[in-house]
Amino acid sequence: MNANQGSRSIGWIVTAIAIVVVATGVSEGGQRDPGWSAPLVVESRANPLAQRPEVLAGGERLFRQRCSTCHGADGRGSRKGPALVTGDVQAETDGALFWRISSGNTRRGMPTFSFLPEPQRWQLVMALRSLDAIKGHPKR
């Protein structure tokens, strides 16, 4: 395969993925998938960074880079992704949120972020928690 064919193949793959993600997210209207639940065994996982508030800034930066396009800069959701400051999301355990970030839900347009190092995914969990606190939503 020459370089031109390779770049066309990559371009096609990227385009196909983008279409699936956008079409799935938009067609679902930013609604949650009630069947997308973390296994019980991971729900009890504790965030190893929970007592390190100095790492929150990194999680907030990751949220802006990776999540805000679909979930909004304030976590209130959009046509592409549901709100993350709602009671049902904030009531989830850190382990369940970590699992959702790591696993994704491609049926609904949520990509997997398992490629991020584990500490960064825990930082994203911290960022989700801070969205709730910063936006004045009571902790649930």
Side-chain angles (χ1 to χ4, degrees):
M1 172 184 314
N2 66 36
N4 193 25
Q5 290 172 321
S7 66
R8 274 189 284 173
S9 294
I10 291 171
W12 182 86
I13 291 169
V14 169
T15 301
I17 291 170
I19 289 170
V20 168
V21 168
V22 170
T24 304
V26 172
S27 68
E28 297 299 334
Q31 298 298 312
R32 275 185 244 305
D33 182 351
W36 185 43
S37 299
L40 291 176
V41 69
V42 300
E43 282 192 9
S44 63
R45 278 189 80 183
N47 187 338
L49 304 177
Q51 302 304 314
R52 297 196 44 212
E54 71 275 9
V55 301
L56 175 58
E60 291 170 339
R61 185 177 62 253
L62 282 166
F63 182 87
R64 285 190 304 275
Q65 293 170 343
R66 305 280 183 179
C67 311
S68 65
T69 302
C70 293
H71 296 287
D74 59 2
R76 293 183 188 264
S78 73
R79 288 181 5 148
K80 291 182 181 181
L84 301 174
V85 294
T86 60
D88 57 335
V89 173
Q90 292 297 319
E92 290 200 37
T93 66
D94 285 355
L97 292 173
F98 180 85
W99 177 84
R100 288 181 186 275
I101 291 166
S102 300
S103 302
N105 184 351
T106 56
R107 292 180 302 151
R108 296 288 176 116
M110 168 71 181
T112 176
F113 289 99
S114 60
F115 63 89
L116 291 174
E118 199 168 299
Q120 288 184 344
R121 287 179 272 152
W122 285 116
Q123 284 178 291
L124 280 171
V125 171
M126 293 177 75
L128 292 176
R129 299 290 188 217
S130 75
L131 284 173
D132 190 50
I134 290 170
K135 300 304 173 195
H137 297 277
K139 284 288 186 193
R140 293 155 186 99

